[in-house]
Amino acid sequence: DDGVMPQTREHLQILQLLHLKQGAVALTKIDAVSPERVAEVREQLNELLAGTFLAAAPVFACSAHSGAGIPELRQHLYDAARAWHASREAAAGAQGKRHFRLAVDRSFSIEGRGTIVTGTVHDGMVCVGDTLQILPSSRHGKSMTARVRGLHAFNRVAEQGRTGERVALNLVGIERNEIHRGDWAVAEAVSHRSDRLAVQLTLLPDAKPLKHWTPVHVHTGAAHVLARVALLEGDLLQPGEAMLAELSLETPLHLCQGDHAVLRDASAQSTIAGCTVIDVFPPLRGKRSEERLNLLRALHDARSASDARDHDALAAVLATEARGVNLSAFAANRNLKESALPALLAQMEATQLRTSAGLYACAPLPWQAMQDKVVAELEQFHQREPDIAGVERERLRRKSLPTLPPEPFAALVQSLVDDGSVVVAQGRFIALPGHKVEFSAA
């Protein structure tokens, strides 16, 4: 009887910003109006939905009083649920490579049971007996953990909950007042929280132009925090356009690549934009360099959680990292289990080694460039200091590749020793094979 209202338009915008792909429309209260009014509102809907993901969605004219349209709507939901379950089973292998994550939207306590949290499983799987970490909340500055004593999935007692399922977790080891709406319950191996996020930001067509460093309200998962927008490709974003940006959050959040957020204006009166998270560990420097922006574009293109996209994202990172990369941050950014990394690396030519800081990898071209730099540094050193047998390993690292950690540098030097490009003199000096200790002319 109201027709399309401003709230309807804003909710449709939010669904678009969250990148939903399918849906249905319920046209309610048809018993309260004439058939002509129903036809009029259908026309309003056609105009509203044109060009959106709901443009071809079915419209169910319903009445709660007479029951008209309800069986058809119910059948459509059942059919959609069956299709969803089938697609979830097909993707079960890919989801097994990701850690459990659940955005807490409600927490309460039940006498005799303890703390209960509810939410929808965002990634991975949780089982009774698992230990979870609560982020970003903490207890006296330290991370909090809790054990899953029991769970319900879709309102039924279950032993496990999987991606997409609505679950309630009975947690032991945490009090009701220690966990809040907006927190994440995640696998124990997950620990990151971020106060800066690199994102792809899209401004709504009816919003005002967005200036650099504009204050906004950020809604993501069940969390709501204040932030400022740092534009990375200009100082002004026009309505309807998209741009790479960085959100500077007042309160750290736990997010991963591919998560979505909705932005409202400083007064929280209206939705103005949406964004997709690209990188939860953005660098402090060089964030506007062309190399960095190209990497963000490549990561944005590979943001979906699939084996092929993981491969594309890793290839993009390796291609731009001149000193190689510690893959722990890459895995955390994409919520990948580190056990999935070797299979990804096997699909590409890359030097890899296990270090105390995690799995390190480097693409062939950057690895060769670093080898060349070490050899060039040795040539210059021998010219300057011909009476010295060679350079001590750590001094050579500081002179040639100071930003490369010691363990990858040791592997790099060993690769040069193995192919005969350098030798180890007197057990501790690195030198070129043809170098002989001799006096200089002076």
Side-chain angles (χ1 to χ4, degrees):
D1 52 351
D2 286 332
V4 174
M5 299 292 285
Q7 186 180 25
T8 309
R9 296 182 184 278
E10 184 177 23
H11 284 181
L12 177 61
Q13 289 175 334
I14 290 171
L15 295 179
Q16 297 256 97
L17 294 173
L18 294 175
H19 295 265
L20 269 71
K21 302 299 182 186
Q22 60 180 339
V25 182
L27 178 54
T28 61
K29 300 185 182 180
I30 62 172
D31 58 281
V33 297
S34 66
E36 291 77 17
R37 174 59 178 167
V38 174
E40 181 183 347
V41 177
R42 278 185 177 274
E43 285 301 313
Q44 291 181 9
L45 282 171
N46 290 337
E47 181 181 340
L48 174 70
L49 302 178
T52 74
F53 75 101
L54 289 175
V59 177
F60 297 95
C62 304
S63 167
H65 286 289
S66 69
I70 300 299
E72 292 82 0
L73 175 58
R74 181 184 292 115
Q75 187 59 50
H76 175 78
L77 294 175
Y78 284 152
D79 292 343
R82 274 192 289 271
W84 176 78
H85 278 283
S87 66
R88 187 186 65 164
E89 292 300 327
Q95 284 301 322
K97 298 175 182 177
R98 302 188 190 278
H99 294 292
F100 170 75
R101 299 170 66 223
L102 175 140
V104 176
D105 52 44
R106 188 168 171 237
S107 64
F108 54 94
S109 58
I110 295 178
E111 189 172 352
R113 299 293 295 173
T115 301
I116 310 291
V117 299
T118 66
T120 301
V121 181
H122 195 86
D123 274 321
M125 182 174 69
V126 63
C127 300
V128 173
D130 284 354
T131 298
L132 304 179
Q133 191 160 192
I134 309 303
L135 299 173
S137 289
S138 62
R139 181 186 293 146
H140 308 303
K142 296 183 179 180
S143 298
M144 294 186 293
T145 59
R147 182 174 57 84
V148 180
R149 177 160 60 185
L151 68 86
H152 283 63
F154 293 131
N155 290 325
R156 296 179 181 178
V157 176
E159 287 298 312
Q160 63 183 29
R162 296 191 290 172
T163 304
E165 290 184 342
R166 182 74 187 167
V167 302
L169 304 178
N170 180 196
L171 301 180
V172 179
I174 191 168
E175 298 296 326
R176 153 72 184 86
N177 60 2
E178 292 182 309
I179 185 168
H180 313 284
R181 173 180 172 85
D183 283 342
W184 287 77
V186 300
E188 196 172 15
V190 179
S191 61
H192 68 271
R193 60 197 94 188
S194 307
D195 57 9
R196 293 182 302 114
L197 306 168
V199 302
Q200 173 78 354
L201 190 148
T202 303
L203 193 61
L204 289 175
D206 57 356
K208 296 178 181 178
L210 185 71
K211 296 180 180 179
H212 177 75
W213 211 239
T214 296
V216 294
H217 291 255
V218 178
H219 296 263
T220 179
H224 167 211
V225 301
L226 298 175
R228 287 188 178 270
V229 178
L231 300 176
L232 299 181
E233 299 178 281
D235 295 322
L236 190 69
L237 180 59
Q238 296 294 341
E241 295 185 355
M243 182 182 289
L244 293 171
E246 191 171 289
L247 296 182
S248 181
L249 308 172
E250 284 194 4
T251 304
L253 292 176
H254 164 75
L255 289 170
C256 291
Q257 192 175 113
D259 288 346
H260 302 300
V262 171
L263 308 186
R264 291 173 69 81
D265 61 18
S267 62
Q269 294 299 306
S270 60
T271 300
I272 60 171
C275 64
T276 302
V277 177
I278 303 176
D279 189 2
V280 299
F281 307 113
L284 291 172
R285 297 175 180 171
K287 61 183 69 177
R288 291 182 177 84
S289 69
E290 197 57 37
E291 183 182 63
R292 170 65 180 170
L293 297 179
N294 286 336
L295 174 60
L296 290 178
R297 295 181 188 112
L299 291 177
H300 180 254
D301 291 340
R303 64 191 178 277
S304 62
S306 69
D307 289 349
R309 291 306 192 185
D310 290 334
H311 175 276
D312 293 346
L314 180 54
V317 169
L318 290 177
T320 58
E321 291 293 343
R323 297 292 179 264
V325 59
N326 183 327
L327 295 183
S328 297
F330 172 83
N333 198 31
R334 292 186 69 82
N335 190 34
L336 264 177
K337 294 180 180 178
E338 291 207 24
S339 58
L341 293 175
L344 279 178
L345 286 169
Q347 303 173 42
M348 55 190 75
E349 294 182 11
T351 298
Q352 55 179 298
L353 64 139
R354 180 68 61 179
T355 72
S356 58
L359 187 61
Y360 167 89
C362 186
L365 287 179
W367 187 257
Q368 181 64 53
M370 289 193 292
Q371 288 180 321
D372 294 344
K373 192 157 187 176
V374 169
V375 171
E377 176 60 33
L378 285 172
E379 289 175 347
Q380 294 175 18
F381 178 82
H382 290 327
Q383 290 175 4
R384 294 193 309 267
E385 312 265 4
D387 58 333
I388 297 179
V391 189
E392 292 180 327
R393 190 187 305 270
E394 180 57 21
R395 183 183 178 190
L396 180 60
R397 184 186 72 85
R398 292 197 306 269
K399 287 287 187 179
S400 58
L401 300 166
T403 59
L404 185 66
E407 289 171 284
F409 182 78
L412 182 80
V413 170
Q414 187 59 49
S415 70
L416 290 170
V417 171
D418 292 342
D419 67 19
S421 298
V422 305
V423 296
V424 179
Q426 300 178 16
R428 64 192 185 97
F429 294 111
I430 310 300
L432 295 179
H435 174 64
K436 295 181 178 179
V437 177
E438 57 187 17
F439 289 124
S440 67

